[in-house]
Amino acid sequence: MDVRVIRAGGPGLSSFLGLAVSSWRSALGRNLTGVYVHGSISTGAFNPRTSDLDVVVTTRVVTDSEANERIEEVHRAMHGWGEDRWADRLEAMFVPASALGMAGIPRIAALELHPDEGFKVQPLGSDFVIQKRILRQHGITIYGPTIARVVAPVTNGELRDAVIGNLREWWLPQLEYPGQFLKRGYQAYAVLTMCRTLCMLTTGELVTKPEAASWAMRGPYLDVWHPLIESAVAYPGGLQPDERLATLDFIRFTLDEAGIGHAPPRS
C-alpha cells in the first residue's frame, strides 16, 4: 500500500480500502477497472479531524440502476468495518475510465457518494476537471492500471475554466439557499476552498487547502480576511464563533475576483 495511505490512516485505512475493493468487485464484476485515492490523502494534506476519504472507482461502462443498488448495498455493509469509521468519511465517484481519458467534461451522469448527502446520480460538472488534475498529479492506484495511464492531462487553461465553472455551478447558487452555512464545519471548508480558488486564479497553481491558506496569509491582498482564514485553519480547535455572514461575504469577494456576477446580500 502507498506510504501516503499508511501515513494518513495507518493499517486501518489500508484494511478498509482492501475490503472496499473486494466489495466493489463483487458488486460490479468485470465492469470494475480501477480504484484510485485522491484528495488530501494523496497530496499529504490529510487532517484526521476534518478530511474525507476521496476515491474514484472506474468502470468499463456507466453503472446502471441495478449496479448502483448493489453498490449502495455493499456500502451499508462497510459501516460495520473497523473502529475508524472510514465508511462515514468516504466520498466516491463511479465513472467510466474512458471519461477520465478524454478532454473536457463528458455528458454523462455518474453515481456519486457524499458523506452528508448519500448516493446521487448526477451529471458531471466542472469539479470533474479539477479532480482529474489532482488524480493525474497525485492519485494513488489501489487497483487497476496506474492512474497516470488512465487520466488525460489537464492544461492550466482548462483548470482555470473549471475553477471558475465550479464557482458558478456550485458556490453561486448557495448564496440564494445558504442553509449549509449554518454548520461551522461547512463554513471552514468554504473559506479554505475560496483560498485555494483565489490562489489558483492568481498564481495558476492548484495547491492544497493548507498551502492556499498559508498563501492567503502572506502579503496585503487578503489582509482583511485574515481573521476569518485563521479561524477556518484552526477548526475545530480554538474559539469558533459563527462566521456565516463573513463566509458568505468571502464567497462573494471570490466571485467578484473571478468576474462572476451575483445578487447583493439580503438585508
Short mmCIF file of all heavy atoms in Angstrom, two decimals, residues 81-122:
data_model
loop_
_atom_site.label_atom_id
_atom_site.label_comp_id
_atom_site.label_asym_id
_atom_site.label_seq_id
_atom_site.Cartn_x
_atom_site.Cartn_y
_atom_site.Cartn_z
N TRP A 81 -17.25 -1.90 9.50
CA TRP A 81 -15.83 -2.28 9.40
C TRP A 81 -14.95 -1.35 10.22
O TRP A 81 -14.85 -0.16 9.95
CB TRP A 81 -15.36 -2.21 7.95
CG TRP A 81 -16.06 -3.14 7.02
CD1 TRP A 81 -16.92 -4.14 7.33
CD2 TRP A 81 -15.98 -3.13 5.59
NE1 TRP A 81 -17.40 -4.76 6.20
CE2 TRP A 81 -16.82 -4.15 5.11
CE3 TRP A 81 -15.29 -2.35 4.67
CZ2 TRP A 81 -16.98 -4.43 3.76
CZ3 TRP A 81 -15.44 -2.61 3.33
CH2 TRP A 81 -16.27 -3.64 2.88
N GLY A 82 -14.29 -1.92 11.23
CA GLY A 82 -13.25 -1.20 11.96
C GLY A 82 -13.77 -0.12 12.89
O GLY A 82 -14.96 0.20 12.92
N GLU A 83 -12.85 0.44 13.65
CA GLU A 83 -13.20 1.44 14.65
C GLU A 83 -13.06 2.87 14.13
O GLU A 83 -13.53 3.80 14.77
CB GLU A 83 -12.30 1.27 15.89
CG GLU A 83 -12.46 -0.10 16.56
CD GLU A 83 -11.54 -0.25 17.75
OE1 GLU A 83 -10.73 0.68 17.99
OE2 GLU A 83 -11.61 -1.30 18.43
N ASP A 84 -12.41 3.05 12.99
CA ASP A 84 -12.15 4.40 12.49
C ASP A 84 -13.28 4.96 11.64
O ASP A 84 -13.24 6.12 11.24
CB ASP A 84 -10.85 4.42 11.67
CG ASP A 84 -9.64 4.11 12.51
OD1 ASP A 84 -9.59 4.60 13.65
OD2 ASP A 84 -8.75 3.38 12.04
N ARG A 85 -14.28 4.11 11.34
CA ARG A 85 -15.48 4.55 10.62
C ARG A 85 -15.14 5.26 9.32
O ARG A 85 -15.67 6.33 9.00
CB ARG A 85 -16.34 5.46 11.52
CG ARG A 85 -16.76 4.81 12.83
CD ARG A 85 -17.69 5.70 13.62
NE ARG A 85 -18.96 5.88 12.95
CZ ARG A 85 -19.99 5.04 13.03
NH1 ARG A 85 -19.88 3.93 13.76
NH2 ARG A 85 -21.10 5.29 12.41
N TRP A 86 -14.25 4.65 8.53
CA TRP A 86 -13.86 5.23 7.25
C TRP A 86 -15.05 5.32 6.29
O TRP A 86 -15.11 6.23 5.46
CB TRP A 86 -12.73 4.42 6.62
CG TRP A 86 -11.43 4.62 7.31
CD1 TRP A 86 -10.76 3.75 8.14
CD2 TRP A 86 -10.60 5.80 7.27
NE1 TRP A 86 -9.59 4.29 8.60
CE2 TRP A 86 -9.46 5.55 8.08
CE3 TRP A 86 -10.71 7.03 6.62
CZ2 TRP A 86 -8.45 6.50 8.25
CZ3 TRP A 86 -9.71 7.97 6.80
CH2 TRP A 86 -8.60 7.70 7.61
N ALA A 87 -15.99 4.41 6.41
CA ALA A 87 -17.15 4.44 5.52
C ALA A 87 -17.96 5.72 5.70
O ALA A 87 -18.58 6.21 4.75
CB ALA A 87 -18.04 3.22 5.75
N ASP A 88 -17.95 6.27 6.91
CA ASP A 88 -18.68 7.52 7.16
C ASP A 88 -18.02 8.71 6.47
O ASP A 88 -18.66 9.74 6.27
CB ASP A 88 -18.74 7.80 8.67
CG ASP A 88 -19.58 6.78 9.42
OD1 ASP A 88 -20.31 6.02 8.75
OD2 ASP A 88 -19.49 6.74 10.65
N ARG A 89 -16.74 8.57 6.12
CA ARG A 89 -15.99 9.68 5.55
C ARG A 89 -15.69 9.45 4.06
O ARG A 89 -14.98 10.24 3.44
CB ARG A 89 -14.67 9.85 6.30
CG ARG A 89 -14.88 10.04 7.78
CD ARG A 89 -13.63 9.84 8.59
NE ARG A 89 -12.67 10.91 8.39
CZ ARG A 89 -11.58 11.08 9.13
NH1 ARG A 89 -11.32 10.23 10.11
NH2 ARG A 89 -10.75 12.06 8.88
N LEU A 90 -16.27 8.40 3.51
CA LEU A 90 -15.99 8.05 2.12
C LEU A 90 -16.75 8.96 1.16
O LEU A 90 -17.97 9.08 1.23
CB LEU A 90 -16.38 6.59 1.87
CG LEU A 90 -16.16 6.05 0.45
CD1 LEU A 90 -14.68 6.08 0.08
CD2 LEU A 90 -16.70 4.61 0.36
N GLU A 91 -16.01 9.59 0.26
CA GLU A 91 -16.59 10.37 -0.83
C GLU A 91 -16.12 9.73 -2.13
O GLU A 91 -14.93 9.76 -2.44
CB GLU A 91 -16.15 11.83 -0.76
CG GLU A 91 -16.81 12.71 -1.81
CD GLU A 91 -16.65 14.19 -1.53
OE1 GLU A 91 -16.66 14.58 -0.35
OE2 GLU A 91 -16.50 14.95 -2.50
N ALA A 92 -17.04 9.13 -2.87
CA ALA A 92 -16.66 8.30 -4.01
C ALA A 92 -17.44 8.67 -5.26
O ALA A 92 -18.58 9.11 -5.20
CB ALA A 92 -16.88 6.82 -3.68
N MET A 93 -16.78 8.45 -6.41
CA MET A 93 -17.40 8.62 -7.71
C MET A 93 -17.18 7.35 -8.50
O MET A 93 -16.08 6.79 -8.51
CB MET A 93 -16.80 9.82 -8.45
CG MET A 93 -17.30 9.96 -9.89
SD MET A 93 -16.42 11.26 -10.80
CE MET A 93 -17.04 12.69 -9.96
N PHE A 94 -18.23 6.89 -9.19
CA PHE A 94 -18.16 5.70 -10.02
C PHE A 94 -18.33 6.15 -11.47
O PHE A 94 -19.42 6.53 -11.88
CB PHE A 94 -19.25 4.70 -9.61
CG PHE A 94 -19.11 4.22 -8.18
CD1 PHE A 94 -19.53 5.02 -7.12
CD2 PHE A 94 -18.51 3.00 -7.90
CE1 PHE A 94 -19.39 4.59 -5.81
CE2 PHE A 94 -18.37 2.56 -6.59
CZ PHE A 94 -18.80 3.36 -5.54
N VAL A 95 -17.24 6.12 -12.24
CA VAL A 95 -17.23 6.75 -13.55
C VAL A 95 -16.46 5.88 -14.54
O VAL A 95 -15.48 5.23 -14.17
CB VAL A 95 -16.61 8.16 -13.45
CG1 VAL A 95 -15.15 8.10 -13.02
CG2 VAL A 95 -16.74 8.93 -14.74
N PRO A 96 -16.88 5.84 -15.81
CA PRO A 96 -16.12 5.07 -16.80
C PRO A 96 -14.70 5.60 -16.95
O PRO A 96 -14.48 6.82 -16.95
CB PRO A 96 -16.93 5.27 -18.09
CG PRO A 96 -18.32 5.59 -17.64
CD PRO A 96 -18.14 6.38 -16.37
N ALA A 97 -13.75 4.69 -17.07
CA ALA A 97 -12.36 5.10 -17.25
C ALA A 97 -12.19 5.95 -18.50
O ALA A 97 -11.36 6.87 -18.53
CB ALA A 97 -11.46 3.85 -17.33
N SER A 98 -13.00 5.69 -19.53
CA SER A 98 -12.90 6.47 -20.76
C SER A 98 -13.21 7.95 -20.53
O SER A 98 -12.70 8.83 -21.23
CB SER A 98 -13.85 5.91 -21.82
OG SER A 98 -15.20 5.92 -21.35
N ALA A 99 -14.06 8.26 -19.53
CA ALA A 99 -14.39 9.65 -19.23
C ALA A 99 -13.18 10.39 -18.67
O ALA A 99 -13.00 11.59 -18.91
CB ALA A 99 -15.54 9.71 -18.24
N LEU A 100 -12.33 9.69 -17.93
CA LEU A 100 -11.12 10.29 -17.39
C LEU A 100 -10.07 10.49 -18.47
O LEU A 100 -9.18 11.34 -18.34
CB LEU A 100 -10.54 9.43 -16.27
CG LEU A 100 -11.36 9.34 -14.98
CD1 LEU A 100 -10.80 8.26 -14.08
CD2 LEU A 100 -11.36 10.68 -14.26
N GLY A 101 -10.16 9.71 -19.53
CA GLY A 101 -9.16 9.75 -20.58
C GLY A 101 -9.43 10.74 -21.68
O GLY A 101 -8.62 10.89 -22.59
N MET A 102 -10.56 11.44 -21.63
CA MET A 102 -10.89 12.40 -22.68
C MET A 102 -10.83 13.82 -22.14
O MET A 102 -10.88 14.04 -20.93
CB MET A 102 -12.29 12.11 -23.24
CG MET A 102 -13.42 12.28 -22.26
SD MET A 102 -15.07 11.96 -22.97
CE MET A 102 -14.95 10.22 -23.39
N ALA A 103 -10.69 14.77 -23.04
CA ALA A 103 -10.65 16.17 -22.64
C ALA A 103 -12.05 16.67 -22.30
O ALA A 103 -13.05 16.12 -22.75
CB ALA A 103 -10.04 17.02 -23.76
N GLY A 104 -12.11 17.72 -21.49
CA GLY A 104 -13.38 18.34 -21.19
C GLY A 104 -14.21 17.54 -20.19
O GLY A 104 -13.70 16.70 -19.45
N ILE A 105 -15.51 17.83 -20.20
CA ILE A 105 -16.45 17.21 -19.27
C ILE A 105 -17.43 16.34 -20.06
O ILE A 105 -18.27 16.88 -20.80
CB ILE A 105 -17.23 18.28 -18.49
CG1 ILE A 105 -16.26 19.26 -17.81
CG2 ILE A 105 -18.14 17.63 -17.45
CD1 ILE A 105 -16.94 20.48 -17.22
N PRO A 106 -17.32 15.03 -19.97
CA PRO A 106 -18.25 14.16 -20.71
C PRO A 106 -19.70 14.40 -20.29
O PRO A 106 -19.97 14.67 -19.12
CB PRO A 106 -17.79 12.75 -20.32
CG PRO A 106 -16.39 12.92 -19.83
CD PRO A 106 -16.34 14.27 -19.20
N ARG A 107 -20.59 14.29 -21.24
CA ARG A 107 -22.01 14.50 -20.95
C ARG A 107 -22.65 13.20 -20.48
O ARG A 107 -23.45 12.58 -21.18
CB ARG A 107 -22.71 15.05 -22.18
CG ARG A 107 -22.23 16.43 -22.58
CD ARG A 107 -23.02 16.98 -23.77
NE ARG A 107 -22.59 18.32 -24.13
CZ ARG A 107 -23.11 19.04 -25.12
NH1 ARG A 107 -24.11 18.53 -25.84
NH2 ARG A 107 -22.66 20.25 -25.39
N ILE A 108 -22.27 12.81 -19.29
CA ILE A 108 -22.83 11.60 -18.68
C ILE A 108 -23.20 11.92 -17.24
O ILE A 108 -22.72 12.88 -16.65
CB ILE A 108 -21.84 10.41 -18.72
CG1 ILE A 108 -20.56 10.76 -17.93
CG2 ILE A 108 -21.51 10.02 -20.14
CD1 ILE A 108 -19.63 9.57 -17.75
N ALA A 109 -24.09 11.09 -16.70
CA ALA A 109 -24.43 11.16 -15.28
C ALA A 109 -23.77 9.98 -14.59
O ALA A 109 -23.82 8.85 -15.08
CB ALA A 109 -25.94 11.12 -15.09
N ALA A 110 -23.14 10.25 -13.46
CA ALA A 110 -22.40 9.22 -12.74
C ALA A 110 -22.90 9.11 -11.30
O ALA A 110 -23.39 10.09 -10.72
CB ALA A 110 -20.90 9.53 -12.75
N LEU A 111 -22.75 7.92 -10.74
CA LEU A 111 -23.11 7.69 -9.35
C LEU A 111 -22.03 8.32 -8.45
O LEU A 111 -20.85 8.06 -8.62
CB LEU A 111 -23.21 6.20 -9.07
CG LEU A 111 -23.55 5.81 -7.63
CD1 LEU A 111 -24.99 6.23 -7.28
CD2 LEU A 111 -23.38 4.30 -7.41
N GLU A 112 -22.47 9.13 -7.50
CA GLU A 112 -21.54 9.76 -6.57
C GLU A 112 -22.05 9.55 -5.15
O GLU A 112 -23.26 9.53 -4.90
CB GLU A 112 -21.40 11.25 -6.86
CG GLU A 112 -20.82 11.55 -8.23
CD GLU A 112 -20.59 13.03 -8.45
OE1 GLU A 112 -20.39 13.76 -7.44
OE2 GLU A 112 -20.60 13.48 -9.61
N LEU A 113 -21.11 9.41 -4.23
CA LEU A 113 -21.42 9.28 -2.80
C LEU A 113 -20.77 10.44 -2.06
O LEU A 113 -19.58 10.68 -2.20
CB LEU A 113 -20.87 7.95 -2.26
CG LEU A 113 -20.85 7.81 -0.73
CD1 LEU A 113 -22.28 7.79 -0.18
CD2 LEU A 113 -20.10 6.55 -0.32
N HIS A 114 -21.59 11.16 -1.28
CA HIS A 114 -21.09 12.24 -0.44
C HIS A 114 -21.45 11.93 1.01
O HIS A 114 -22.59 11.51 1.29
CB HIS A 114 -21.67 13.57 -0.86
CG HIS A 114 -21.29 13.97 -2.26
ND1 HIS A 114 -20.11 14.62 -2.54
CD2 HIS A 114 -21.91 13.78 -3.45
CE1 HIS A 114 -20.02 14.83 -3.84
NE2 HIS A 114 -21.10 14.33 -4.42
N PRO A 115 -20.53 12.14 1.95
CA PRO A 115 -20.81 11.77 3.34
C PRO A 115 -22.08 12.37 3.90
O PRO A 115 -22.79 11.72 4.67
CB PRO A 115 -19.56 12.29 4.08
CG PRO A 115 -18.48 12.26 3.06
CD PRO A 115 -19.15 12.62 1.76
N ASP A 116 -22.38 13.63 3.54
CA ASP A 116 -23.56 14.30 4.12
C ASP A 116 -24.84 14.09 3.31
O ASP A 116 -25.93 14.30 3.82
CB ASP A 116 -23.31 15.81 4.24
CG ASP A 116 -22.20 16.13 5.23
OD1 ASP A 116 -22.01 15.34 6.18
OD2 ASP A 116 -21.52 17.16 5.05
N GLU A 117 -24.70 13.67 2.05
CA GLU A 117 -25.86 13.63 1.16
C GLU A 117 -26.21 12.23 0.68
O GLU A 117 -27.26 12.04 0.06
CB GLU A 117 -25.61 14.53 -0.05
CG GLU A 117 -25.32 15.98 0.30
CD GLU A 117 -24.95 16.81 -0.91
OE1 GLU A 117 -25.44 16.52 -2.01
OE2 GLU A 117 -24.14 17.74 -0.77
N GLY A 118 -25.36 11.24 0.92
CA GLY A 118 -25.62 9.90 0.44
C GLY A 118 -25.34 9.76 -1.05
O GLY A 118 -24.58 10.53 -1.63
N PHE A 119 -25.98 8.77 -1.69
CA PHE A 119 -25.76 8.49 -3.10
C PHE A 119 -26.65 9.36 -3.99
O PHE A 119 -27.82 9.58 -3.67
CB PHE A 119 -26.05 7.01 -3.39
CG PHE A 119 -24.95 6.08 -2.96
CD1 PHE A 119 -25.02 5.41 -1.75
CD2 PHE A 119 -23.85 5.86 -3.77
CE1 PHE A 119 -24.03 4.55 -1.35
CE2 PHE A 119 -22.84 4.99 -3.39
CZ PHE A 119 -22.92 4.33 -2.18
N LYS A 120 -26.07 9.82 -5.09
CA LYS A 120 -26.82 10.55 -6.11
C LYS A 120 -26.27 10.18 -7.48
O LYS A 120 -25.07 9.97 -7.63
CB LYS A 120 -26.69 12.06 -5.92
CG LYS A 120 -27.35 12.64 -4.69
CD LYS A 120 -27.20 14.16 -4.68
CE LYS A 120 -27.89 14.78 -3.48
NZ LYS A 120 -27.74 16.26 -3.47
N VAL A 121 -27.16 10.12 -8.47
CA VAL A 121 -26.74 10.01 -9.86
C VAL A 121 -26.94 11.39 -10.47
O VAL A 121 -28.06 11.89 -10.54
CB VAL A 121 -27.55 8.96 -10.63
CG1 VAL A 121 -27.16 8.94 -12.10
CG2 VAL A 121 -27.35 7.57 -10.01
N GLN A 122 -25.84 12.03 -10.90
CA GLN A 122 -25.93 13.39 -11.40
C GLN A 122 -24.90 13.64 -12.49
O GLN A 122 -23.89 12.96 -12.57
CB GLN A 122 -25.72 14.39 -10.26
CG GLN A 122 -24.45 14.19 -9.47
CD GLN A 122 -24.45 15.00 -8.18
OE1 GLN A 122 -25.46 15.55 -7.76
NE2 GLN A 122 -23.31 15.10 -7.55
#
